[in-house]
Structures are given as C-alpha cells and as structure tokens.
Amino acid sequence: MDFSLTEEQLMIQQAARDFAQTELLPEVIERDDAQRFPKEEVKKMGELGFLGMMVDSKYGGSNLDTISYVLVMEELSKIDASASVIVSVNNSLVCWGLETYGSEAQKEKYLTRLATGEIIGAFCLSEPEAGSDATSQKTTAIDKDDHYLLNGTKNWITNGGTAEVYLVIAQTDREKGHKGINVLIVEKGMDGFEIGPKENKLGIRGSDTHSLNFNDVKVPKENRIGDDGFGFKFAMKTLAGGRIGIAAQALGIAAGAYELALKYSKERKAFGTEIANHQAIAFKLADMHTQIQAARHLVYKAAWDKDQGENYDLSGAMAKLYASKVAMDTTIEAVQVHGGNGFVKEYHVERLMRDAKITQIYEGTSEIQKIVISRSILRD
Ligand code: CAA
C-alpha cells in the first residue's frame, strides 16, 4: 500500500492551488454576490488542461489519471466551488461519457473542443418530476427514422446557459421503461431548443443553472450515443464517476473552511489568549482535521479504483455520502469558530457553508447514495 502521490500528481496539485489563489480568489465574493459566471477563469482553466483532464491527448485532453483530477477538484473547491462544478460536469459527465461511449465521428466533432475548454458541456437528466427517480423521464425523443423529435423540460442544469453541447436523456419507447431511454447530443441553437430562466441559488451562485425547454427539436440520428435504449445505463455509468468529482468538491470545500478556521483561531484573541488555546476551539479543529482526512481517504480510494479498472459504484457513492456530510459539518463549525466574523462575507466561510449544501443534493442526494451503497452490500 502506497499513500504517496507521484511527482506529476504533486505538480498538478500545486498548479491548481496556485491557480485558485491567484485567479479564483480575488473576485470570488463579487462573483457569488452577482451570480456571475467565471467566464475568463474557465478559459484559463481550459488552457491549463483542467477541462479535459482524463481525456486522451489525441482528443485534446490532458491524459491524466482520476487521482490528478480529484486533486485539482479539491484545490479549486477550497476557494471557488462554482468554478469547480463547471470542471466536474465537463470532465466527468460530458467528456468521460463522450470518450467512453461516443462514436469516432462524435468524438471528432465535439470531444476535442470540450476537452480543450473551447466550449463547455452540460448533462441533462433531471426533470421537474424526475430528480432522484431518474427512470421517470417525461422528456420524449420520438424516433422519426433519420432523426429524433425531442420534447420536454429539463431542470437544474449546470452550465445550462453557457454550454454549447448538451447530453440530453429522453424516453423513446415508454413500454420498455428504462430500457427505452436514449441519450442525444443537442447543440445550442438547434430550432426549438430554448434556455429557461437562471435559478437564483443558495450556493454555487457563480455557476449558471437553468431549466431547458425542447419543443419539437429535430436531433439527427447520428447524435445518439450508443445503441438504441442505452441512455439510462449511460446516465448511471457517467454519474458513478461524476460522484467521485463531487466528493472531491465536497472534500475541498471542507478543507478550505478548515484552513481558514485554523488560521483565524491562531490570530483571534479572547480571554487573554489566541482562541486556538481554548479547548472548545482546539477540539473543533481536531474533529475537522480527522473527518477531512477520513473523507480524503474515501475520495482517493474511489479515484484509485477507477484508475485500476475496478468497479467504483460503491466507493464513489461512499466517498460522496461521507465527504458531503463532512463538508456541511465542517463549514458550519468553521463559521462558529469565526464567531461574528464568520457571518460576514469577506471571511469566506459563510460562502463555503452555503456551497457545501449542494454536495448533499446533486449527482444523487445523500439518500440516493445510501440506496446505491445498501443495494451493493446486500447484493454481495
Ligand atoms: N451502472 C450501470 N448500470 C446501472 C447502474 C450503474 N451504476 N445503476 C443502475 N444501473 C442500471 C440497472 O442495472 C438497471 O438496469 P437493468 O434492468 O438492465 O439491470 C437500470 O439501471 C435501472 O436500475 P434500478 O432498477 O436500480 O433503478 P431505480 O429506479 O431503482 O433507480 C437509482 C436507481 C440509483 C435510484 C437511480 O435512479 C439514481 O441514481 N437516481 C439519482 C439520479 C441522479 O443522480 N441525478 C443527478 C442529476 S445530474 C446532476 O446533478 C448533474 C449536475 O448538473 C451537477
């Protein structure tokens, strides 16, 4: 067993740390306040190779392992979870899905531009009445020989307004249930495709989340990924990897809040000494540090499983379930350590607390992760 990172992984971790400090930190509060998408920052992340991290270099990717990806996610999320979710969705849900299951023509047409960050992508599964219950798709993709006719609404879509390429899950044959679902590549600007209003959110306010409407959108047959009826499996397999990315995001949010609380507790004085010298605070730091380390081990193990070609459904679900709880608990405690200052935006911890909540909700709620975990342990 070897817990050390390679030279290359350490270098990538440092690059992400530097980028987060120099490029993300300066305007993160303003972006959060104004719900401003980090357009320039995303462009720079593309130049650094963060948007197609695991994609083969022949498609413009960085050809790195999943460990490197989670290291980058962790570092970016310490500072700006709005930026990191853009990275996570583009890497895990869009690029990985296209590279693993797309045709050569689809990869040539879309993957290279997505992996270099020239454009970004979105993953469209959730609907007004199909969130956790993802097989209940109301969006339809009716087979019209040379094209599919797409109709319906998708909700809470990350990168909803800024993406150029959308992977849309829709029901083709209702009688076949989840085996009658397809995934289609939809381009921004196709006739009948409308982007709905932007959501006004509690956290990750810099990421742009929209509903999407499809009204008789003609999607060419060659835009279907995989065989007829593969759409639900595609969604499940893609989300299994996505959950590792979100687990790393949660880990980063927790670690970022902990680092701020540690620093503050060594500076702030009360009752004649730095507050870190009071056991009430020191024990909070001890709990945070221990739980973050435990979460880190789960996240790295899930990434390692993926890199080894092992099944990562269970380890990814456990990592997301636990790391998102640690993110929530740690950020609440980090605000507490900061006292009145914790409630003020310029100290950053209140934003991290707001950002933490979504990690228990998207890419499968904590309750869904427990379904995945319990089914897996009961089956084995
Ligand atoms: N890999 C491959 N196949 C899988 C799979 C996996 N990990 N998990 C399930 N499947 C397959 C099953 O084998 C089954 O196929 P067969 O009948 O051929 O065996 C099929 O999928 C249906 O599975 P279930 O019978 O288990 O379906 P279910 O209705 O009980 O639901 C669920 C399963 C795990 C609850 C699933 O619905 C789920 O994951 N729900 C949560 C959805 C989710 O994560 N949404 C997130 C939205 S995306 C997002 O947030 C992105 C963003 O923008 C940030």
Side-chain angles (χ1 to χ4, degrees):
M1 197 177 292
D2 182 358
F3 284 96
S4 53
L5 298 172
T6 64
E7 282 296 313
E8 188 184 49
Q9 288 162 346
L10 286 167
M11 228 171 64
I12 290 154
Q13 182 184 46
Q14 189 60 48
R17 193 172 290 161
D18 293 345
F19 176 80
Q21 284 295 330
T22 56
E23 304 289 344
L24 294 179
L25 184 59
E27 289 185 24
V28 65
I29 294 172
E30 288 77 6
R31 283 196 300 277
D32 174 73
D33 260 350
Q35 297 208 79
R36 197 174 78 233
F37 183 83
K39 194 165 172 241
E40 281 309 307
E41 293 76 7
V42 167
K43 195 166 160 259
K44 288 177 186 162
M45 290 195 290
E47 285 159 12
L48 283 169
F50 291 169
L51 291 172
M53 291 197 64
M54 295 160 291
V55 175
D56 196 306
S57 41
K58 75 174 168 185
Y59 300 115
S62 303
N63 214 8
L64 292 164
D65 57 8
T66 316
I67 298 279
S68 302
Y69 167 53
V70 298
L71 291 172
V72 167
M73 280 300 297
E74 184 180 340
E75 291 307 322
L76 301 178
S77 307
K78 284 181 183 174
I79 305 295
D80 188 352
S82 296
S84 71
V85 71
I86 300 162
V87 172
S88 186
V89 166
N90 204 65
N91 273 285
S92 293
L93 301 185
V94 181
C95 286
W96 187 86
L98 262 174
E99 186 171 27
T100 310
Y101 302 111
S103 67
E104 208 44 50
Q106 289 168 348
K107 290 183 207 180
E108 267 167 37
K109 187 163 178 196
Y110 300 107
L111 184 57
T112 308
R113 290 162 68 215
L114 287 160
T116 54
E118 184 190 327
I119 57 170
I120 57 170
F123 177 84
C124 314
L125 173 68
S126 303
E127 298 186 353
E129 290 170 66
S132 292
D133 184 8
T135 55
S136 294
Q137 294 289 308
K138 296 266 189 311
T139 300
T140 51
I142 304 304
D143 191 333
K144 298 280 182 189
D145 291 335
D146 65 335
H147 68 272
Y148 286 99
L149 200 59
L150 187 64
N151 277 288
T153 300
K154 293 288 172 184
N155 263 26
W156 312 295
I157 304 303
T158 304
N159 302 340
T162 40
E164 294 289 333
V165 169
Y166 299 75
L167 305 187
V168 182
I169 320 290
Q171 189 84 43
T172 295
D173 187 340
R174 201 159 296 285
E175 287 191 354
K176 289 189 183 159
H178 68 78
K179 292 185 167 67
I181 290 175
N182 280 310
V183 54
L184 307 178
I185 305 170
V186 176
E187 292 180 33
K188 184 180 258 164
M190 279 183 169
D191 279 348
F193 174 20
E194 286 168 10
I195 295 165
K198 182 169 165 163
E199 303 291 355
N200 186 359
K201 307 193 297 288
L202 170 77
I204 56 162
R205 289 169 57 81
S207 114
D208 97 306
T209 310
H210 289 255
S211 56
L212 307 173
N213 298 313
F214 303 99
N215 304 305
D216 285 338
V217 181
K218 284 184 180 175
V219 185
K221 262 285 170 64
E222 65 259 25
N223 281 24
R224 186 186 75 210
I225 301 179
D227 293 336
D228 184 28
F230 180 63
F232 193 72
K233 288 253 160 154
F234 174 90
M236 290 296 107
K237 285 185 177 284
T238 307
L239 276 167
R243 288 166 185 166
I244 301 175
I246 300 304
Q249 179 186 47
L251 169 63
I253 293 171
Y258 164 74
E259 285 173 16
L260 290 169
L262 181 64
K263 183 168 176 287
Y264 185 81
S265 69
K266 289 182 188 168
E267 291 164 1
R268 171 80 178 178
K269 287 192 176 150
F271 305 103
T273 183
E274 288 77 18
I275 61 171
N277 295 325
H278 297 298
Q279 201 177 61
I281 302 298
F283 278 15
K284 282 188 198 302
L285 296 169
D287 281 339
M288 290 180 192
H289 189 64
T290 307
Q291 288 158 10
I292 289 167
Q293 195 55 25
R296 188 171 284 122
H297 286 322
L298 281 174
V299 173
Y300 290 9
K301 173 63 167 58
W304 184 85
D305 281 345
K306 185 161 175 287
D307 287 336
Q308 301 305 308
E310 301 282 342
N311 186 297
Y312 49 90
D313 292 351
L314 174 62
S315 54
M318 290 196 299
K320 181 177 183 290
L321 174 68
Y322 187 73
S324 60
K325 179 166 171 21
V326 171
M328 206 62 250
D329 294 350
T330 305
T331 53
I332 288 173
E333 286 296 65
V335 170
Q336 193 70 16
V337 168
H338 281 75
N341 282 329
F343 214 60
V344 173
K345 295 202 174 207
E346 68 193 82
Y347 283 82
H348 297 283
V349 281
E350 66 80 33
R351 185 187 69 258
L352 291 167
M353 187 182 85
R354 288 186 286 106
D355 288 349
K357 188 60 207 167
I358 192 62
T359 65
Q360 295 185 305
I361 298 174
Y362 58 20
E363 301 206 22
T365 61
S366 295
E367 292 73 17
I368 290 295
Q369 304 314 320
K370 288 184 193 182
I371 292 180
V372 174
I373 296 163
S374 58
R375 282 184 183 173
S376 172
I377 55 182
L378 291 169
R379 193 175 51 233
D380 292 343

